[in-house]
Amino acid sequence: MNDDSQILIARLLSHQTLRRDDKLVKRVLSDEQFRTEVDARLLAVGLKLLDNVYADHVTLALHRNIEPKIFGAKDVWQNNNFGLSRDGVALLVVLWAQIILPKRERQETHQHAEDNQNDMFGTEKPLPRAEDTSIGIAYKALLADFGDKLGKKTRLDMNLGILSKLGFIERRGDVIVEGPLLDLLMDTDLLKERIVNGALADVFKRSPPTMVAVPRSEPPIAVDTPTEAANDEEEILPAFEAPPPAPIDDTPAKD
């Protein structure tokens, strides 16, 4: 038994996410033998290590082939949507599209958030970290652009609070920034085409929303307290991994 693999898995289960610069995370991402051992131990309980080079964190997710056995045991698909209703899911998709897609474009062109123009030698440099390329969205701009379709101020504030507690976003004053899970749990390859040319096509054809550089802060300290997931009977998301986005309800909701 490898104690390091046991410790890494236990820490991920306890803290939900770990930074890529963590000693054991760096090892599992670079040591093939260690990664094989960790993957085997996770697979034995239906889990997998979830990471991508564009995110500053890693987490755990259910294997797709185990989801029906977990959530399909009853007549109704029983999974966990973290307490998000339809407007909450729609808000999550909007934030992902407005924060993650531009961030990935900057990472691929090796452009930092504060850069005004591309460096002609930028592609020679390592892929920038999410922290150095992520751009925040002003709360007032989000409310002005999407408030009427996402439940107005009361519902928007409530759903932002839930997304913040779950680790999808962080609030820094009037700025909404990427949380550790926002770029991990959304399938960019699956969603990008649907979002850019589908659900939010009209948004991407407009002028870019008001965005501001992310205020820098110390790396978040993981807490042993597990995230509480509210039990909600509405249509729901698979635990750990988000499905294709729910359609946005155009009917304004009452405050």
Side-chain angles (χ1 to χ4, degrees):
M1 178 183 296
N2 188 316
D3 289 340
D4 285 347
S5 63
Q6 183 184 55
I7 292 170
L8 175 60
I9 293 172
R11 290 177 62 207
L12 281 167
L13 289 171
S14 299
H15 303 320
Q16 188 181 43
T17 63
L18 292 174
R19 291 182 62 87
R20 292 178 70 91
D21 54 13
D22 178 272
K23 181 178 179 180
L24 287 179
V25 174
K26 289 171 68 175
R27 181 181 171 191
V28 80
L29 295 177
S30 61
D31 185 331
E32 184 177 354
Q33 183 177 353
F34 184 51
R35 177 62 180 264
T36 300
E37 181 179 350
V38 170
D39 286 344
R41 298 184 73 164
L42 288 172
L43 181 61
V45 291
L47 296 174
K48 64 181 178 180
L49 182 68
L50 196 61
D51 78 281
N52 69 61
V53 296
Y54 300 99
D56 286 345
H57 297 78
V58 300
T59 190
L60 298 179
L62 285 176
H63 266 285
R64 283 295 190 187
N65 59 1
I66 203 68
E67 286 182 5
K69 300 174 183 178
I70 303 300
F71 301 131
K74 298 182 180 181
D75 293 337
V76 179
W77 186 264
Q78 298 291 320
N79 58 2
N80 186 353
N81 70 345
F82 303 114
L84 292 172
S85 55
R86 288 187 65 193
D87 54 2
V89 175
L91 175 61
L92 175 60
V93 173
V94 167
L95 291 171
W96 173 82
Q98 298 283 8
I99 295 175
I100 298 303
L101 293 183
K103 182 202 73 171
R104 286 201 174 193
E105 182 178 352
R106 283 187 290 273
Q107 286 176 304
E108 290 171 355
T109 58
H110 295 254
Q111 181 181 4
H112 286 62
E114 63 273 13
D115 291 345
N116 293 323
Q117 60 184 12
N118 290 335
D119 181 354
M120 63 183 298
F121 302 107
T123 54
E124 303 292 332
K125 302 175 183 178
L127 187 74
R129 297 182 305 166
E131 186 179 54
D132 297 326
T133 53
S134 192
I135 297 291
I137 298 178
Y139 167 77
K140 292 180 180 178
L142 180 70
L143 181 62
D145 288 342
F146 298 98
D148 288 342
K149 294 186 177 182
L150 296 178
K152 297 186 179 178
K153 188 177 187 303
T154 300
R155 294 287 299 178
L156 188 68
D157 289 345
M158 182 189 73
N159 286 321
L160 284 173
I162 295 174
L163 294 177
S164 179
K165 289 179 181 179
L166 294 174
F168 285 106
I169 62 168
E170 293 179 10
R171 301 287 300 273
R172 299 179 187 172
D174 189 46
V175 183
I176 301 166
V177 301
E178 172 186 353
L181 293 180
L182 190 60
D183 198 10
L184 282 174
L185 301 190
M186 308 290 278
D187 189 336
T188 298
D189 293 335
L190 177 65
L191 295 179
K192 183 176 180 179
E193 187 68 20
R194 299 184 183 186
I195 296 301
V196 175
N197 297 318
L200 297 179
D202 60 328
V203 174
F204 285 98
K205 290 177 182 176
R206 288 189 252 147
S207 299
T210 303
M211 298 186 292
V212 294
V214 177
R216 297 298 173 214
S217 64
E218 295 298 323
I221 300 175
V223 182
D224 286 335
T225 305
T227 302
E228 295 183 359
N231 293 324
D232 196 332
E233 296 298 328
E234 300 184 39
E235 58 178 313
I236 43 187
L237 294 171
F240 302 120
E241 205 158 335
I248 298 177
D249 190 350
D250 290 330
T251 304
K254 296 181 180 179
D255 287 333

